[in-house]
Amino acid sequence: MINIDKLEKISKLIRYFILISTTRAGSGHPSSSLSAVELMSTLFFGGFFKFKINHIEYINNDRLIFSKGHASPLMYSLWAAAGAVSEEELLTMRKFGSRLEGHPTPNFPYVEAATGSLGQGLSIGLGMALNAKYIDKLPYYTYVLLGDSEMTEGSQWEAIQIAAHYKLDNLVGIIDVNRLGQRGETIYGWDIKAYEKRISSFGWETITVDGHNIKEIADAYENALSVKGKPTMIIAKTIKGKGVNLLEDKNDWHGKAISKAQMDTALKELGNVDKKIRGEILNPEQVNIPEEGIEEYDKIPMEIDKIATRKAYGNTLVNIFSKYPQIVVLDAEVGNSTFSEIFKKRFPQRFFEMYIAEQNMVGTALGLSLRGKIPFISSFSAFLTRAFDQIRMSQYSNSNIKFVGSHAGVSIGEDGASQMGLEDIAMFRTLLVSVVLYPSDGISTEKLVEKAAAHFGNVYIRTTRMDTPIIYSKEDDFKI
Amino acid sequence: MINIDKLEKISKLIRYFILISTTRAGSGHPSSSLSAVELMSTLFFGGFFKFKINHIEYINNDRLIFSKGHASPLMYSLWAAAGAVSEEELLTMRKFGSRLEGHPTPNFPYVEAATGSLGQGLSIGLGMALNAKYIDKLPYYTYVLLGDSEMTEGSQWEAIQIAAHYKLDNLVGIIDVNRLGQRGETIYGWDIKAYEKRISSFGWETITVDGHNIKEIADAYENALSVKGKPTMIIAKTIKGKGVNLLEDKNDWHGKAISKAQMDTALKELGNVDKKIRGEILNPEQVNIPEEGIEEYDKIPMEIDKIATRKAYGNTLVNIFSKYPQIVVLDAEVGNSTFSEIFKKRFPQRFFEMYIAEQNMVGTALGLSLRGKIPFISSFSAFLTRAFDQIRMSQYSNSNIKFVGSHAGVSIGEDGASQMGLEDIAMFRTLLVSVVLYPSDGISTEKLVEKAAAHFGNVYIRTTRMDTPIIYSKEDDFKI
């Protein structure tokens, strides 16, 4: 039985934290935070979310991603209500040097992934859920808090498709339908049935709730945790700015802190806040990942004469897997062109078809990377431009993704400019600590793909369609 | 009454054209072309598609976009069957210098927009349909041929959402569900009900057909043309490689031409081809666009002291609209940050909210641009990275889009790196004939925004969040 009275008290405390931290900062998104207070406090302290608060790196912790990253004041306040952040630290939010940045980054260690560019969290969660279900085979759940406005991003629907395809019943999305985007009403306003119809049509379980009714929310989580064979979306009708008269369901308050005087009024409305109360997050199940050794297998010999670097890439993935068993390979339905299919044929359990949906592929890779995997993800280099925003954002999450773009340059000829990777180097060179590798032959490909696996951080490898002659020898060394 | 017998003969001719052109080229996508022959021949020659074949620029021609651009052999063969391309020219396909490129580009004048990067055609069509319904107020229809594989692209679902939102009953999509992508079965295979369920949930009319049954197809178009208040998607179950035994429903034949010997066999299977038969495309209704003068209005005076360039941008749009009445303004739900809302408030009929779906916004802008408009489209500069692939592709369509990215650089401060435009210059500098403008004050913004409107071609304008002092004078001149 959940203790509704206590959850209400904690929710009040969280509202207090949201208001004092944003007003002190003089900026931020209190109204977008206030709408999801009950959704998150019930998740955290209603016995659903399981997390070792003193062991952040624990492999079986549940995962929570704020896809609506601008609700960071809520996130920090949640952890404060759990006792992991002091009220004093909350007041440093958005100050230079504080762990509590305007949008979440892993500088605050409870943040799973940096967010703030909308429409990316569900894909990241998908990667973490995929990891739990198919790779680490762990019982943890992944929760993603979504904004209603961001549901128009196509990347969300990519994630919705692929999560259903992989039957990720360990993935739970929560949409905070507070009706108002940054500049006015969202495309569907408070029509939560519109979301339900669309999302369920893709094969998700959907549950609609009043997002301020703790009992309804708790029932929804309980139901979500019993769903089998498909992911669940909880669609919650909420009020933006809930709990503060000045803000409730008001336009033109997006991304604005209230003044000190307004806060004093708001805190009076809030009434008595029990500042000593703290919520308890349950511990996850104690588990170990069984060490699954990779059986001995035949390596693929290097061609002597010539080989396309894209093919050498596929061969090398196979050859280094025993040394880097964290490798996971994703492809955007062109594995027979990028030659990731060579790996797929040998190690199908470590290959995930991501279909033609590059944005979600990158988000998924980020989720896998954050769970300790080394994702190698491939498409035509031209089509990786599709995911530039996801690529850009991944760098703020200490990511370790190996991007592989094939068919680089004009040499592909008659297929034409649409298929030519001409912008890829410029794109990947914009990243902090950018590593761009462009092997010219089979041997340099072999060496550089292994270097990429060994190097912690994002790496871009560019491959060519046509065969090129072998010009290096096995003794040549390459450094990143 | 449609003449099924004649349409069958023309379909046979088109199959013949597809085979001889791809086999001669030695590459290309015959199997992906063959699956959509009846869908397209019935559209063209069944009395539905209206086009002045000798007046390509005619404003009321129907529009057809091959979102599955790799079916270009079908497109060229269609126009050959209409008498616009000779059999001789078909045999130049994919040769250097030929108008008939591997993927469609406007070098072939019947191509509305360059395609080949999947998942972009529906957005382009949306822009053209938006133009017909709300701007030019013309009765033309826009048709988009879609592949089943590309339906996983998130951009498709952005377009599906926004087309329904704008009730574009002059937009008809046709999905060629041939079950096979480039590397095997697509995510939903031949489950056309899966497409129907998902697409209709977004408020589209959906019609499922046997994609090789001319009568069913003709009925579908007839129904589509009578639908009011929403767009229509025709979902056709087809056979990849239809008509050629060697190819029919076979994997591993994507993007491959058959050999000369295989072609001889295939042509025997095809039987008698009437090489003299040509189809007739009906003429569209004769119309004129009424000249709608813009009423006199007060201009917004320039600030004397200081102003944010993003605000000067919004002001300038208002001020130059009378001089450039082709201007259309789009924004990705951040108009109160980019200040495109200043224009929206004055000229709401020329502003279209694109919601948080940047890829579709760029595709829509391309469609508008190709119908003679000057789209100014804005978001945070950081979030324009979301649409890099659409931006990249637009350059191959002789596009005239003005991209405006606000909140450039680190000066936005506490909102953090996720919101900062740091990669935008590198991104836009990769374009051919790249024009990147970064005004520093209100006056240079005013001048450069007008220069951008006057310049034919893509232009990127970068604006800043905070006020900056006026440093130029009204007499200063700027050149692109």
Side-chain angles (χ1 to χ4, degrees):
Chain A
M1 271 299 292
I2 58 156
N3 184 336
I4 292 183
D5 183 55
K6 185 172 180 193
L7 286 173
E8 278 175 352
K9 282 193 178 123
I10 296 174
S11 297
K12 199 178 267 196
L13 175 71
I14 290 172
R15 288 205 158 83
Y16 165 79
F17 284 153
I18 290 168
L19 292 173
I20 62 163
S21 59
T22 51
T23 293
R24 174 67 70 94
S27 65
H29 298 76
S31 62
S32 309
S33 295
L34 290 165
S35 57
V37 169
E38 283 79 11
L39 290 169
M40 289 296 102
S41 64
T42 307
L43 175 67
F44 260 48
F45 308 119
F48 303 105
F49 188 69
K50 313 254 173 67
F51 196 97
K52 291 196 183 188
I53 194 164
N54 295 317
H55 188 181
I56 294 177
E57 288 305 316
Y58 179 54
I59 52 167
N60 196 35
N61 282 336
D62 283 346
R63 306 288 150 191
L64 171 64
I65 294 154
F66 268 46
S67 187
K68 51 176 290 186
H70 55 288
S72 54
L74 167 60
M75 180 194 268
Y76 306 141
S77 299
L78 266 174
W79 288 106
V85 175
S86 68
E87 183 169 332
E88 196 184 350
E89 184 174 11
L90 276 182
L91 297 176
T92 69
M93 194 180 75
R94 288 181 159 251
K95 298 279 181 293
F96 200 78
S98 170
R99 305 189 298 174
L100 311 180
E101 298 194 37
H103 289 80
T105 78
N107 285 338
F108 180 60
Y110 294 95
V111 168
E112 296 283 347
T115 52
S117 180
L118 292 170
Q120 304 199 6
L122 196 58
S123 298
I124 301 168
L126 193 163
M128 295 180 170
L130 204 67
N131 179 67
K133 191 174 176 85
Y134 295 102
I135 303 176
D136 285 347
K137 303 198 171 80
L138 288 171
Y140 71 77
Y141 273 79
T142 301
Y143 298 90
V144 182
L145 178 65
L146 298 147
D148 48 354
S149 250
E150 64 170 331
M151 294 310 295
T152 42
E153 283 285 11
S155 49
Q156 305 278 28
W157 301 93
E158 294 181 1
I160 286 171
Q161 289 173 98
I162 305 296
H165 178 74
Y166 283 108
K167 305 184 194 314
L168 296 176
D169 45 18
N170 55 355
L171 178 64
V172 179
I174 304 121
I175 311 184
D176 175 14
V177 185
N178 64 24
R179 192 182 75 81
L180 292 170
Q182 137 160 6
R183 52 131 265 322
E185 188 159 60
T186 63
I187 193 166
Y188 303 129
W190 261 332
D191 182 3
I192 55 175
K193 292 286 168 201
Y195 294 98
E196 181 168 46
K197 217 164 88 177
R198 287 155 178 77
I199 295 165
S200 66
S201 83
F202 283 88
W204 283 53
E205 184 72 25
T206 50
I207 305 170
T208 58
V209 296
D210 169 350
H212 301 299
N213 182 321
I214 288 172
K215 174 76 174 64
E216 275 191 36
I217 297 168
D219 287 347
Y221 286 124
E222 203 166 307
N223 288 339
L225 296 182
S226 70
V227 169
K228 293 287 166 224
K230 55 182 173 177
T232 298
M233 190 69 81
I234 296 172
I235 303 159
K237 185 172 172 179
T238 63
I239 293 169
K240 197 160 177 172
K242 173 74 177 179
V244 177
N245 262 328
L246 178 69
L247 302 178
E248 277 196 4
D249 195 34
K250 293 288 193 328
N251 209 357
D252 289 328
W253 270 106
H254 181 95
K256 289 177 190 159
I258 60 177
S259 70
K260 176 75 175 62
Q262 289 165 334
M263 183 183 77
D264 291 341
T265 309
L267 292 181
K268 260 182 224 140
E269 286 165 33
L270 209 55
N272 268 340
V273 175
D274 180 351
K275 295 182 194 172
K276 291 269 182 292
I277 199 170
R278 289 295 177 271
E280 196 197 346
I281 300 178
L282 293 191
N283 270 327
E285 194 183 325
Q286 189 63 38
V287 294
N288 296 302
I289 304 185
E291 281 278 335
E292 271 186 67
I294 299 169
E295 279 179 42
E296 278 299 307
Y297 60 91
D298 291 336
K299 302 297 197 289
I300 303 171
M302 175 54 65
E303 305 285 334
I304 295 164
D305 184 20
K306 61 179 185 172
I307 184 172
T309 55
R310 60 181 172 137
K311 195 166 180 190
Y313 162 68
N315 291 346
T316 306
L317 279 184
V318 168
N319 292 347
I320 66 173
F321 183 47
S322 54
K323 190 166 169 192
Y324 300 94
Q326 310 93 326
I327 285 176
V328 183
V329 179
L330 311 179
D331 199 283
E333 218 193 291
V334 289
N336 56 341
S337 285
T338 60
F339 281 118
S340 66
E341 72 167 17
I342 299 173
F343 181 88
K344 176 190 176 179
K345 283 177 183 160
R346 292 287 277 271
F347 304 106
Q349 76 283 9
R350 277 305 182 90
F351 178 92
F352 295 92
E353 180 57 69
M354 289 285 111
Y355 297 95
I356 307 182
E358 297 81 4
Q359 297 190 2
N360 178 65
M361 177 168 75
V362 173
T364 300
L366 177 56
L368 288 165
S369 155
L370 293 169
R371 299 313 316 133
K373 303 304 169 293
I374 307 177
F376 277 81
I377 70 175
S378 45
S379 183
F380 280 40
S381 49
F383 306 145
L384 291 179
T385 55
R386 198 65 158 250
F388 191 11
D389 197 23
Q390 280 78 6
I391 294 168
R392 172 183 84 84
M393 281 301 296
S394 74
Q395 70 186 319
Y396 301 121
S397 290
N398 302 323
S399 54
N400 184 29
I401 305 173
K402 316 307 166 185
F403 301 90
V404 182
S406 70
H407 295 65
V410 297
S411 65
I412 63 163
E414 56 265 24
D415 270 331
S418 64
Q419 318 293 303
M420 295 174 181
L422 303 173
E423 301 82 2
D424 53 331
I425 292 180
M427 178 171 76
F428 281 101
R429 286 286 293 119
T430 64
L431 299 186
L432 295 165
V433 204
S434 175
V435 176
V436 173
L437 306 176
Y438 189 10
S440 57
D441 75 345
I443 288 180
S444 54
T445 304
E446 191 171 62
K447 303 256 183 183
L448 287 171
V449 170
E450 178 162 358
K451 291 281 178 184
H455 173 86
F456 188 90
N458 287 349
V459 175
Y460 174 55
I461 302 170
R462 188 176 208 240
T463 66
T464 307
R465 180 189 184 189
M466 305 304 287
D467 286 352
T468 51
I470 302 286
I471 57 172
Y472 286 103
S473 83
K474 288 274 177 198
E475 287 68 44
D476 286 315
D477 191 26
F478 296 84
K479 288 203 180 89
I480 289 182
Chain B
M1 271 300 290
I2 58 156
N3 185 335
I4 292 183
D5 183 55
K6 184 172 180 194
L7 286 173
E8 278 174 353
K9 283 194 177 121
I10 296 175
S11 297
K12 199 177 266 196
L13 176 70
I14 290 172
R15 287 205 159 82
Y16 165 79
F17 284 153
I18 290 168
L19 292 174
I20 61 163
S21 59
T22 51
T23 292
R24 174 66 69 92
S27 65
H29 297 77
S31 62
S32 309
S33 294
L34 290 164
S35 56
V37 168
E38 283 78 12
L39 289 169
M40 289 296 101
S41 64
T42 307
L43 176 67
F44 261 48
F45 308 119
F48 303 105
F49 188 69
K50 313 254 173 68
F51 196 97
K52 291 195 183 190
I53 194 164
N54 295 317
H55 188 180
I56 295 177
E57 288 306 316
Y58 179 55
I59 52 167
N60 197 35
N61 283 336
D62 282 346
R63 307 287 150 192
L64 170 64
I65 295 154
F66 268 47
S67 187
K68 51 176 291 186
H70 54 288
S72 54
L74 167 60
M75 181 194 268
Y76 306 142
S77 299
L78 266 175
W79 287 106
V85 175
S86 68
E87 183 168 332
E88 196 185 351
E89 184 173 12
L90 276 182
L91 297 176
T92 69
M93 194 180 74
R94 288 181 158 251
K95 298 279 181 294
F96 200 78
S98 170
R99 305 189 299 174
L100 311 181
E101 298 194 37
H103 289 80
T105 77
N107 284 338
F108 180 59
Y110 294 94
V111 167
E112 296 283 346
T115 51
S117 180
L118 293 170
Q120 304 199 6
L122 196 58
S123 298
I124 301 168
L126 192 163
M128 294 180 171
L130 203 67
N131 179 67
K133 192 175 175 84
Y134 295 103
I135 302 176
D136 285 347
K137 304 200 171 79
L138 288 170
Y140 72 77
Y141 273 79
T142 301
Y143 299 91
V144 182
L145 177 65
L146 298 147
D148 48 354
S149 250
E150 65 170 330
M151 293 310 294
T152 42
E153 283 285 12
S155 50
Q156 306 277 28
W157 301 93
E158 294 181 0
I160 286 171
Q161 289 172 98
I162 305 297
H165 178 74
Y166 283 107
K167 305 184 194 314
L168 296 177
D169 44 19
N170 55 355
L171 178 65
V172 179
I174 304 121
I175 311 184
D176 174 14
V177 185
N178 64 23
R179 192 182 75 82
L180 293 170
Q182 135 159 9
R183 53 132 263 323
E185 188 158 61
T186 63
I187 193 166
Y188 303 130
W190 261 333
D191 182 3
I192 54 174
K193 292 286 167 201
Y195 294 97
E196 181 168 46
K197 217 164 88 177
R198 287 156 178 76
I199 295 165
S200 66
S201 83
F202 282 88
W204 283 53
E205 184 72 24
T206 51
I207 305 171
T208 58
V209 296
D210 169 350
H212 301 300
N213 182 321
I214 288 172
K215 175 75 174 64
E216 274 191 36
I217 297 168
D219 287 348
Y221 286 124
E222 203 166 309
N223 287 339
L225 296 182
S226 70
V227 169
K228 293 288 166 223
K230 55 182 172 177
T232 297
M233 190 69 81
I234 296 172
I235 303 160
K237 185 172 173 178
T238 64
I239 293 169
K240 196 160 177 171
K242 173 73 177 180
V244 177
N245 262 327
L246 178 69
L247 303 178
E248 276 196 4
D249 195 34
K250 293 286 193 328
N251 210 357
D252 288 329
W253 270 106
H254 181 95
K256 289 176 190 159
I258 60 177
S259 70
K260 177 74 175 62
Q262 289 165 334
M263 183 183 78
D264 291 341
T265 309
L267 292 181
K268 260 182 224 139
E269 287 166 33
L270 209 55
N272 269 339
V273 175
D274 180 350
K275 295 183 193 170
K276 291 269 181 292
I277 199 170
R278 289 295 177 272
E280 195 197 345
I281 300 177
L282 294 191
N283 271 326
E285 192 183 326
Q286 189 63 39
V287 294
N288 296 301
I289 304 185
E291 281 278 336
E292 270 185 67
I294 298 168
E295 279 179 43
E296 278 298 308
Y297 60 90
D298 291 337
K299 303 296 196 290
I300 303 171
M302 175 55 64
E303 304 286 333
I304 295 164
D305 183 20
K306 61 179 185 172
I307 184 173
T309 56
R310 60 181 171 135
K311 195 166 180 190
Y313 162 68
N315 291 346
T316 306
L317 279 185
V318 168
N319 291 347
I320 66 173
F321 183 47
S322 53
K323 190 166 169 192
Y324 300 94
Q326 309 93 325
I327 286 176
V328 183
V329 179
L330 311 179
D331 198 283
E333 218 194 290
V334 288
N336 56 340
S337 285
T338 61
F339 282 118
S340 66
E341 72 167 17
I342 298 173
F343 182 88
K344 176 190 176 179
K345 282 177 184 160
R346 292 287 277 270
F347 303 107
Q349 76 283 9
R350 276 305 181 91
F351 178 93
F352 295 92
E353 180 57 69
M354 290 285 111
Y355 297 95
I356 308 182
E358 298 81 3
Q359 299 183 69
N360 179 64
M361 178 169 74
V362 173
T364 300
L366 177 55
L368 288 165
S369 155
L370 293 168
R371 300 313 316 133
K373 302 304 170 292
I374 307 176
F376 277 81
I377 70 175
S378 45
S379 183
F380 280 41
S381 49
F383 306 145
L384 291 178
T385 56
R386 198 65 157 249
F388 191 11
D389 197 23
Q390 281 79 5
I391 294 168
R392 172 183 84 83
M393 282 300 297
S394 74
Q395 70 186 320
Y396 302 120
S397 290
N398 302 323
S399 54
N400 184 30
I401 305 173
K402 316 307 166 185
F403 301 90
V404 182
S406 70
H407 295 65
V410 297
S411 65
I412 63 163
E414 56 265 24
D415 270 330
S418 64
Q419 318 293 304
M420 294 174 182
L422 303 173
E423 300 82 2
D424 53 331
I425 292 180
M427 177 170 77
F428 281 101
R429 287 286 293 118
T430 64
L431 299 185
L432 296 164
V433 203
S434 175
V435 177
V436 174
L437 306 176
Y438 189 9
S440 57
D441 74 344
I443 288 180
S444 54
T445 304
E446 191 171 62
K447 303 257 183 183
L448 287 170
V449 170
E450 178 162 359
K451 291 281 178 185
H455 173 86
F456 188 90
N458 287 348
V459 175
Y460 174 55
I461 302 169
R462 188 177 208 240
T463 66
T464 307
R465 180 187 185 192
M466 305 303 286
D467 286 352
T468 51
I470 302 287
I471 57 172
Y472 287 103
S473 84
K474 287 275 177 198
E475 287 68 43
D476 286 315
D477 191 26
F478 297 84
K479 288 203 180 90
I480 289 182

